[in-house]
Amino acid sequence: MTEFRTFDALVDAVHEEGDLYWQELAKLEFAKDVWSLMSSKGITKADLAKLLDVSQARITQCLRGDKNLQIETMVSMARAVGGELHLRVHDRAHKPHFFASVDGGKSNRPKYIKPFRKAEHEISIETDNGKTAAFA
């Protein structure tokens, strides 16, 4: 058994080698995202339980991140609070970049903007080397 001199060393080892870290992180991120939507829309745990026809205790368990949730349950919870669930797999060597809605939540899907129309929204991204890219 490997001995770790500090808690940080243990966390780093689990972070890099163990699936448990990534499993727990996924559950907690899902719960955080659902909580965030619930808070922004004034939805209580009791409201969500009614919408999903489950007990409030079940909602609490799901939002604590201590239950293994099926994808079907995650989709139902996300949709009940006005969200969508997106699962992606990417190469660990390349960190993904996620972008929030820039239209104030008016739509939740990307829209095609014809080239001759003026773009309604612009996103600017500054890279680590100081270069800036703009997307409209």
Side-chain angles (χ1 to χ4, degrees):
M1 182 169 162
T2 304
E3 288 189 32
F4 299 97
R5 294 194 179 272
T6 66
F7 181 74
D8 288 341
L10 172 63
V11 170
D12 288 344
V14 170
H15 181 284
E16 291 184 16
E17 297 177 20
D19 286 345
L20 180 61
Y21 170 86
W22 296 103
Q23 293 163 2
E24 295 304 314
L25 181 63
K27 289 189 284 186
L28 292 172
E29 285 180 343
F30 173 77
K32 177 187 65 80
D33 291 344
V34 171
W35 266 114
S36 178
L37 280 173
M38 288 172 65
S39 296
S40 70
K41 297 179 181 210
I43 298 172
T44 66
K45 288 190 284 185
D47 295 334
L48 184 55
K50 285 180 187 174
L51 289 168
L52 296 174
D53 195 28
V54 298
S55 69
Q56 188 172 337
R58 173 71 175 142
I59 297 299
T60 299
Q61 291 171 340
C62 293
L63 294 177
R64 275 196 317 240
D66 60 357
K67 284 285 181 188
N68 283 326
L69 301 176
Q70 294 180 341
I71 291 174
E72 293 84 352
T73 302
M74 295 170 74
V75 167
S76 296
M77 288 181 72
R79 290 180 50 81
V81 297
E84 291 182 351
L85 178 68
H86 295 271
L87 299 174
R88 301 286 186 260
V89 177
H90 64 89
D91 187 327
R92 281 188 260 175
H94 305 287
K95 298 295 180 200
H97 299 282
F98 299 97
F99 298 95
S101 171
V102 293
D103 64 359
K106 294 178 186 166
S107 70
N108 57 1
R109 299 190 188 278
K111 291 183 180 177
Y112 174 73
I113 299 174
K114 294 180 182 178
F116 61 85
R117 279 181 46 193
K118 182 180 177 185
E120 297 173 11
H121 306 287
E122 185 175 286
I123 299 172
S124 293
I125 301 170
E126 185 172 329
T127 62
D128 292 337
N129 61 5
K131 293 183 180 178
T132 302
F135 302 92

